[in-house]
Amino acid sequence: ESFVWTENYLINEPLTHLLRRPVPSPSLRKLLESFVADERHHIASIGKLLKTARPDLYENQTYLFFVPTRKFRFVTGVMNLFPRLLPSWALLIGVLEENTISTAQLYRQAGANVDRLFTEVYMLHAQDEARHCKLDALVCDWLLAGQTGWRKDLNARMLYLAFKAYFDPDWGLQEPIKIRLERKIQHARV
């Protein structure tokens, strides 16, 4: 769910906004278009994987456990609306895509404790993400070039707020843990 949300809202939305305007070169435009296409493919693949694994949970919804805080949605939503003014979103996704590679390695290290199909999907996803890290750097170079003064300060502040909200330890963990505990309690009563 996290990958689907992140790639949809933190990558595709700002890139789509950028592609509606002039891009410095045709080759950069092609790279950005391929980036969007890759992310759409990832979203579809991971969504299909979730629906296949748990049709009872994902047949009619996409997000059950991954529910970003209002603060995180607000900060990233503002970045998405103004991707040229606030290119700190590109720095954020660069870090999150590097984190995807680490997550895939954890799947592989888990061995038989994780369904093989999940491991394969995430390993393939990580290969694309390694290439995307290079694209993230190109986007950052393009969008952050020459930023000074208040724009630089504003982007630093937005990036700080996004990371602070994303890595808040009270977010993202409580609901899945609560659901698992409730299920264990119900199972123990039966």
Side-chain angles (χ1 to χ4, degrees), residues 73-181:
R73 289 190 324 260
F74 175 76
V75 170
T76 56
V78 172
M79 289 177 180
N80 285 351
L81 285 175
F82 306 103
R84 290 283 310 205
L85 175 66
L86 300 171
S88 45
W89 64 269
L91 295 168
L92 174 66
I93 65 166
V95 170
L96 295 179
E97 289 191 310
E98 287 179 17
N99 189 50
T100 299
I101 296 167
S102 299
T103 302
Q105 290 170 346
L106 291 173
Y107 272 87
R108 185 175 52 190
Q109 291 168 1
N113 294 320
V114 175
D115 184 286
R116 190 174 55 93
L117 184 57
F118 275 80
T119 302
E120 288 177 20
V121 167
Y122 285 105
M123 291 308 295
L124 291 170
H125 186 209
Q127 290 173 10
D128 276 354
E129 297 304 88
R131 186 173 61 84
H132 290 175
C133 288
K134 292 177 184 176
L135 294 175
D136 296 335
L138 287 172
V139 171
C140 287
D141 287 347
W142 167 42
L143 296 176
L144 293 168
Q147 275 204 349
T148 58
W150 67 271
R151 288 185 72 183
K152 186 177 178 180
D153 294 341
L154 178 61
N155 272 289
R157 182 71 180 155
M158 293 298 285
L159 186 61
Y160 167 77
L161 291 172
F163 277 124
K164 184 178 178 189
Y166 188 83
F167 290 109
D168 181 341
D170 290 330
W171 170 53
L173 301 175
Q174 292 177 342
E175 206 56 38
I177 291 170
K178 196 184 321 177
I179 289 169
R180 284 188 201 131
L181 286 174

Side-chain angles (χ1 to χ4, degrees), residues 35-72:
F35 199 172
V36 170
D38 282 353
E39 298 302 3
R40 285 185 181 141
H41 177 71
H42 294 165
I43 292 165
S45 297
I46 294 170
K48 185 176 180 179
L49 178 63
L50 291 172
K51 285 180 183 179
T52 300
R54 290 299 304 267
D56 58 318
L57 296 178
Y58 294 103
E59 189 59 40
N60 297 316
Q61 62 187 358
T62 305
Y63 308 107
L64 177 65
F65 299 110
F66 189 79
V67 183
T69 63
R70 189 174 297 141
K71 186 176 186 177
F72 185 69

